[in-house]
């Protein structure tokens, strides 16, 4: 710089200051060696909140402060006064009188006169706004990098601009790898084209979307995400970028999945439970409605499962149920559903079937699959199922009707002798509700003493003497009146009540026998045994107990077992007969002629009597083939040294015929008449 006179220098400074003064936004003030303000422009007033009249002549430190570095600032000014060196531009914070703070960027230079620094001029720009932005930027960068959520910033064209560390950790992609690539590839690239479109649309209209989506990791594995996408716009509203924030919800999804599985599946078999079944059936019905196709609902009940549970225990029972579940599942296609309805009941839905034959075919396959299972946990089991089938739309329009009707059909399959299947038909309905009602009232009938016995005499044809009296059970139903055995015995068998009821008959008949003895009529009592009762392990014990309780001698008890039961019976049945015979109890084969007993087999049995079935007696005199059988049966009995009884004799002609053929005894409505003539009538109410 060329040398100038001091006044010229001052002029120069003034010119300079005026020039600067014209520059908008620059605050200028000057201080003298005492630190008092000598110059204070308008911008200073604005920046520091002090008008010139209050500022001029005041020590600078009374007007503005430099929090945290007051001494530095003073030293810096002093340095200029001492050396005459201008300061470099620097940023610092100043405190205003009102307590607020500002960031300024400024510099100071000396005004030298007479070789000495007379004043120092300070120029300051207000950079508070810029500083705040900078701080925000630093903060944002820290948040971005330290966030545990993956963050991805894209430009307006959805190309990736930046991703954070969490993104890399979550997806396996480094920032370098993804920079400049299409965001979709890493974000929603999985499978949901529709969702992708939906997100785009939503962000377009609302600048924001949040929800769940599937991403993909670098190794190709699916990545469940919860997150948001936000559109970022500049101050003019132009879209500049997008920000996606995502968290990995694999754990949550897994827990949700597990909870859903538990809620929708049966714990024992792992099959879908009712809830899921209904859901699937609902969907299948909707599809069938659209496609005008059919859906089949199969109600499956294991026959005599209770027996397995009772004899072998629950562990074997559970194994059986699990194995049955697995076998049933193998009989259906992937679009079908097998569900455990509870207990030993299963329900199967066959979706979209072409015809009823398809359902019949599956039912047949299932029956075979279950019957072929012959052991569980080392225990041998004999299993079968009864299946009821209802078809959509013919048998019902909705889930509940179809389930109910398949259940009804299943009941009929059971009644039809188990191990079979039935299609629903509308006539089944009334019958079944009656049956269910019957089963319920049967349970309380024993306690309520609603059963009674009627006795029918068994009369010697020659002497007309009453040899025995057969106990026939009656149920005095509180609402329906007197019911005959064929109206309730099948239901009793089905519910397992046949055994306790049979026990009651046995005890009651023996008690009655005793009463007749005591009254001077030593007749035998005959008791009918159901198949279940005959095979029951407690039979001998019960017979002994009944006889003992009545103090009745065993030879006054006859037990009637049908030919069918004997024929079905195995070695155990023969042992039972022998054991009874050894006690002195007589065994009668009831309903003889209806089965197909082999002569050879009969001779080995320790039975006492054959009872010719009623249906043959009714044919007497008709000349039909059936009536011809009577002489053959009588001849057979004679050869085996058995007594023959004809049951259901109603007329004198029938009796005549039987007498001619050499029949020993007879029963029937006519027997009551003859017996009454031969000896005093026996009152069943004794
Ligand atoms: P069942 O042992 O063959 O008994 C004979 C049935 O023929 C009885 O019917 C009897 O009332 C009927 N009957 C007797 N005389 C005549 C006649 O002259 N004409 C005609 N048409 N019928 C006659 P009920 O009492 O209805 O018994 C039916 C079946 O129920 C019995 O056949 C027997 O198998 C069973 N039953 C009856 N009581 C018991 C019982 O206490 N326990 C068991 N397990 N079964 C029983
Ligand atoms: Ca009988
Ligand atoms: Ca009979």
């Amino acid at each position: 710089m060329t040398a100038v006179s001091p006044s010229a220098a001052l002029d120069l400074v003034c010119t300079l200051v005026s020039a600067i003064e014209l520059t908008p936004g620059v605050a200028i003030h000057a201080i003298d060696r005492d630190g008092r303000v000598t110059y204070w422009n308008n911008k200073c007033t604005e920046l520091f909140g002090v008008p010139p009249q209050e500022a001029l002549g005041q020590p600078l430190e009374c007007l503005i402060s430099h929090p945290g570095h007051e001494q530095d600032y003073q030293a810096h000014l002093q340095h200029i006064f001492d050396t005459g060196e201008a300061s470099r531009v620097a940023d610092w914070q100043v405190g205003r009188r009102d307590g607020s703070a500002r960031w300024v960027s400024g510099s100071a230079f000396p005004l030298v006169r007479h070789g000495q620094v007379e004043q120092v001029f300070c120029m300051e720009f207000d950079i508070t706004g810029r500083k705040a932005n900078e701080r925000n930027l630093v903060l944002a960068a820290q948040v971005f990098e330290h966030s545990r959520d993956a963050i991805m910033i894209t430009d307006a064209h959805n190309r990736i601009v930046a991703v954070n560390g969490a993104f890399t950790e979550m997806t396996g992609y480094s920032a370098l790898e993804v920079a400049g690539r299409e965001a979709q590839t890493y974000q929603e690239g999985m499978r949901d084209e529709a969702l992708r479109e939906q997100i785009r649309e939503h962000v377009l209209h609302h600048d924001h979307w949040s929800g769940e989506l599937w991403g993909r990791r670098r190794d190709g594995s699916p990545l469940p995400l919860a997150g948001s996408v936000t559109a970022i716009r500049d101050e003019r509203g132009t879209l500049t970028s997008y920000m996606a924030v995502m968290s990995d919800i694999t754990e949550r999804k897994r827990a949700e999945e597990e909870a859903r599985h538990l809620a929708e599946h049966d714990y024992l078999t792992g099959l879908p439970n009712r809830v899921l079944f209904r859901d699937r059936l609902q969907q299948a019905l909707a599809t069938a409605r659209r496609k005008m196709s059919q859906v089949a609902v199969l109600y499956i009940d294991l026959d005599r499962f209770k027996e397995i549970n009772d004899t072998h225990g629950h562990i074997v029972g559970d194994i059986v149920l699990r194995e049955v579940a697995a076998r049933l599942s193998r009989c259906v296609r992937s679009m079908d559903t097998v569900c455990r309805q509870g207990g030993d009941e299963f329900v199967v839905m066959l979706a979209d079937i072409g015809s009823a034959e398809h359902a019949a075919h599956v039912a047949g396959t299932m029956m075979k699959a279950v019957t072929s299972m012959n052991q569980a946990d080392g225990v041998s089991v004999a299993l079968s199922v009864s299946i009821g089938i209802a078809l959509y739309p013919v048998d019902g329009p909705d889930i509940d009707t179809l389930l109910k009707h398949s259940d009804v059909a299943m009941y009929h399959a059971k009644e039809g002798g188990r191990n079979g299947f039935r299609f629903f038909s509308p006539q089944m309905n009334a019958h079944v509700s009656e049956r269910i009602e019957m089963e319920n009232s049967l349970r309380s009938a024993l306690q309520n003493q609603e059963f009674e016995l009627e006795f029918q005499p068994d009369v010697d044809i020659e002497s007309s003497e009453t040899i025995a009296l057969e106990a026939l059970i009656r149920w005095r139903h509180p609402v329906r009146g007197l019911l005959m055995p064929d109206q309730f015995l099948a239901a009793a068998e089905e519910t397992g009540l046949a055994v306790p009821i049979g026990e009651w008959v046995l005890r009651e008949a023996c008690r009655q026998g005793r009463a007749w003895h005591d009254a001077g009529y030593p007749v035998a009592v005959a008791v009918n045994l159901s198949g279940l009762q005959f095979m029951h392990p407690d039979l001998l014990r019960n017979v002994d107990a009944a006889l003992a309780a009545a103090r009745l001698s065993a030879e006054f008890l006859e037990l009637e077992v049908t030919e069918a039961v004997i024929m079905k019976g195995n070695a155990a049945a023969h042992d039972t007969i022998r054991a009874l015979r050894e006690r002195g109890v007589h065994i009668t084969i009831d309903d003889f002629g209806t089965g197909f007993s082999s002569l050879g087999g009969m001779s080995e049995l320790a039975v006492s009597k054959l009872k010719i079935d009623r249906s043959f007696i009714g044919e007497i005199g008709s000349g039909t083939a059936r009536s011809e059988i009577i002489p053959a049966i009588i001849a057979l009995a004679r050869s085996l040294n058995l007594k023959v009884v004809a049951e259901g004799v109603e007329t004198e002609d029938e009796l005549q015929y039987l007498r001619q053929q050499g029949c020993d005894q007879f029963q029937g409505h006519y027997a009551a008449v003859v017996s009454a003539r031969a000896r005093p009538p026996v009152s069943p109410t004794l």
Side-chain angles (χ1 to χ4, degrees):
M1 196 194 266
T2 41
V4 284
S5 70
S7 67
L10 186 62
D11 286 348
L12 184 65
V13 168
C14 291
T15 317
L16 208 67
V17 168
S18 322
I20 295 167
E21 186 72 330
L22 289 172
T23 319
V26 186
I28 303 172
H29 57 93
I31 48 168
D32 61 17
R33 292 190 74 92
D34 297 330
R36 290 179 190 275
V37 174
T38 55
Y39 183 78
W40 193 259
N41 77 349
N42 286 339
K43 196 64 197 173
C44 276
T45 305
E46 198 184 303
L47 178 59
F48 302 120
V50 183
Q53 61 273 20
E54 286 177 30
L56 289 171
Q58 293 300 314
L60 182 65
E61 65 257 41
C62 297
L63 307 175
I64 49 178
S65 61
H66 296 85
H69 46 93
E70 199 66 65
Q71 285 182 346
D72 288 351
Y73 186 74
Q74 293 303 337
H76 147 83
L77 285 180
Q78 197 53 55
H79 181 76
I80 302 173
F81 277 114
D82 291 350
T83 62
E85 282 172 18
S87 74
R88 278 206 233 115
V89 177
D91 298 346
W92 68 88
Q93 226 181 350
V94 294
R96 306 197 326 163
R97 272 203 321 203
D98 66 4
S100 61
R102 282 278 196 277
W103 273 95
V104 295
S105 172
S107 58
F109 57 89
L111 176 64
V112 184
R113 271 178 95 176
H114 312 299
Q116 157 169 320
V117 178
E118 205 164 67
Q119 290 180 59
V120 171
F121 269 81
C122 305
M123 297 196 298
E124 280 131 359
F125 294 91
D126 185 352
I127 56 163
T128 310
R130 198 188 84 204
K131 275 286 175 191
N133 282 343
E134 275 173 16
R135 218 179 27 249
N136 284 347
L137 277 176
V138 170
L139 206 63
Q142 281 174 338
V143 169
F144 181 77
E145 211 36 60
H146 293 109
S147 164
R148 293 180 59 184
D149 289 337
I151 302 175
M152 174 168 71
I153 313 280
T154 68
D155 65 13
H157 306 291
N158 224 4
R159 274 188 302 265
I160 296 174
V161 177
V163 295
N164 67 352
F167 178 94
T168 303
E169 215 169 280
M170 210 179 275
T171 62
Y173 286 108
S174 72
L176 265 174
E177 269 176 300
V178 298
R181 313 262 300 260
E182 275 278 316
Q184 259 92 19
T185 327
Y186 310 99
Q187 190 182 330
E188 316 126 45
M190 259 310 269
R191 48 193 172 203
D192 212 336
E193 184 63 35
L195 177 64
R196 202 152 83 188
E197 199 41 53
Q198 199 183 316
I199 296 175
R200 224 195 322 265
E201 275 292 297
H202 203 271
V203 174
L204 205 66
H205 293 106
H206 303 92
D207 278 2
H208 187 77
W209 174 90
S210 65
E212 290 181 6
L213 51 85
W214 285 91
R216 201 167 21 193
R217 292 194 185 84
R218 193 173 195 273
D219 61 11
S221 59
L223 174 62
L225 296 167
S228 63
V229 180
T230 308
I232 298 169
R233 296 177 184 276
D234 64 14
E235 56 276 21
R236 281 193 305 274
T238 314
L239 200 149
T240 57
S241 47
Y242 294 103
M243 177 173 73
V245 181
M246 294 155 292
S247 54
D248 180 347
I249 53 168
T250 308
E251 253 325 287
R252 196 178 91 202
K253 281 275 169 208
R254 203 190 49 72
E256 275 173 15
E257 185 56 36
E258 205 176 278
R260 219 193 44 227
H261 187 89
L262 276 178
E264 291 183 337
H265 290 78
D266 168 38
Y267 69 96
L268 181 66
T269 59
L271 289 177
N273 65 10
R274 296 155 183 257
V275 178
L276 183 55
F277 180 81
R278 291 185 76 91
D279 204 49
R280 299 237 180 115
L281 183 52
Q282 190 69 62
Q283 282 171 25
L285 292 184
T287 310
R289 220 163 275 145
R290 242 186 4 259
K291 292 170 67 180
M292 310 272 276
S293 61
Q294 300 189 75
V295 176
V297 175
L298 278 63
Y299 211 107
I300 303 175
D301 191 282
L302 279 183
D303 299 327
R304 302 202 178 91
F305 176 71
K306 197 176 168 305
E307 274 172 44
I308 294 182
N309 243 352
D310 289 351
T311 1
H312 303 297
H314 288 282
I315 294 175
V316 173
D318 285 356
I319 291 171
V320 166
L321 288 177
R322 253 183 256 133
E323 180 60 27
V324 167
R327 283 171 184 245
L328 294 180
S329 300
R330 285 199 286 271
C331 299
V332 300
R333 306 159 298 174
S334 61
M335 65 205 288
D336 303 326
T337 302
V338 178
C339 132
R340 185 161 83 116
Q341 189 76 352
D344 60 344
E345 292 181 356
F346 297 83
V347 190
V348 175
M349 180 263 297
L350 305 177
D352 194 12
I353 56 166
S355 67
E357 279 84 75
H358 180 108
H361 175 76
V362 174
T365 316
M366 287 180 159
M367 281 166 50
K368 267 194 230 112
V370 174
T371 41
S372 69
M373 172 181 173
N374 43 33
Q375 68 142 325
D377 202 25
V379 172
S380 74
V381 291
L383 285 171
S384 62
V385 285
S386 300
I387 305 179
I389 307 172
L391 298 173
Y392 169 85
V394 281
D395 298 331
D398 53 47
I399 296 180
D400 289 321
T401 317
L402 290 166
L403 278 175
K404 192 173 137 230
H405 286 172
S406 58
D407 188 14
V408 163
M410 187 274 289
Y411 246 107
H412 279 259
K414 280 238 183 249
E415 274 194 337
R418 301 193 175 98
N419 193 23
F421 66 86
R422 288 283 167 88
F423 278 94
F424 171 77
S425 78
Q427 299 88 282
M428 288 178 169
N429 254 337
H431 183 81
V432 163
S433 50
E434 196 176 283
R435 172 67 175 274
I436 290 168
E437 191 260 314
M438 160 87 67
E439 283 184 6
N440 287 336
S441 50
L442 253 181
R443 289 176 212 283
S444 52
L446 257 183
Q447 279 118 305
N448 298 347
Q449 301 185 322
E450 289 166 13
F451 294 114
E452 352 178 308
L453 293 181
E454 193 176 290
F455 286 89
Q456 189 178 54
D458 175 353
V459 179
D460 186 282
I461 290 184
E462 284 314 314
S463 67
S464 295
E465 256 183 69
T466 299
I467 307 290
L469 284 142
E470 181 182 359
L472 296 166
I473 192 166
R474 305 289 177 256
W475 179 13
R476 203 164 286 282
H477 192 282
V479 180
R480 299 172 57 194
L482 192 69
L483 300 181
M484 302 305 274
D486 60 350
Q487 290 173 282
F488 62 88
L489 280 189
E493 292 239 347
E494 192 60 51
T495 46
L497 288 165
V499 174
I501 292 173
E503 243 182 271
W504 176 84
V505 174
L506 197 58
R507 268 183 282 116
E508 184 58 19
C510 290
R511 196 191 63 75
Q512 186 65 75
R514 175 81 248 161
W516 284 319
H517 271 67
D518 293 347
Y521 306 115
V523 283
V525 283
V527 171
N528 292 287
L529 295 186
S530 68
L532 214 61
Q533 206 183 351
F534 179 65
M535 300 302 208
H536 203 277
D538 289 343
L539 177 70
L540 293 174
R541 213 169 316 139
N542 289 337
V543 167
D544 292 342
L547 289 171
R551 290 175 291 107
L552 191 70
S553 152
E555 74 244 44
F556 288 102
L557 179 63
E558 293 180 6
L559 295 178
E560 300 192 3
V561 188
T562 64
E563 185 189 6
V565 168
I566 297 232
M567 291 316 294
K568 243 197 289 177
N570 40 23
H574 290 207
D575 289 349
T576 306
I577 292 178
R578 209 168 299 124
L580 287 166
R581 197 62 208 103
E582 278 162 11
R583 284 167 165 73
V585 175
H586 296 279
I587 311 290
T588 303
I589 298 183
D590 205 351
D591 300 348
F592 193 79
T594 52
F596 301 94
S597 308
S598 72
L599 290 175
M602 298 297 307
S603 61
E604 287 163 21
L605 288 172
V607 299
S608 317
K609 264 191 213 178
L610 285 190
K611 195 178 266 194
I612 307 172
D613 193 64
R614 207 162 68 232
S615 57
F616 297 101
I617 310 303
E619 301 279 328
I620 289 174
S622 66
T624 56
R626 283 182 75 78
S627 64
E628 302 293 299
I629 291 177
I630 297 171
I633 295 177
I634 294 173
L636 166 71
R638 290 224 169 285
S639 73
L640 293 173
N641 218 4
L642 302 177
K643 293 275 183 223
V644 197
V645 195
E647 66 174 11
V649 177
E650 295 178 349
T651 64
E652 177 60 31
D653 288 351
E654 286 166 359
L655 181 60
Q656 275 304 327
Y657 176 80
L658 291 163
R659 185 180 285 130
Q660 279 161 22
Q661 297 299 324
C663 185
D664 302 299
Q665 297 157 20
F666 80 106
Q667 279 187 290
H669 297 157
Y670 195 67
V673 181
V674 176
S675 151
R677 245 189 260 144
R679 48 168 43 236
V682 179
S683 157
T685 51
L686 257 181

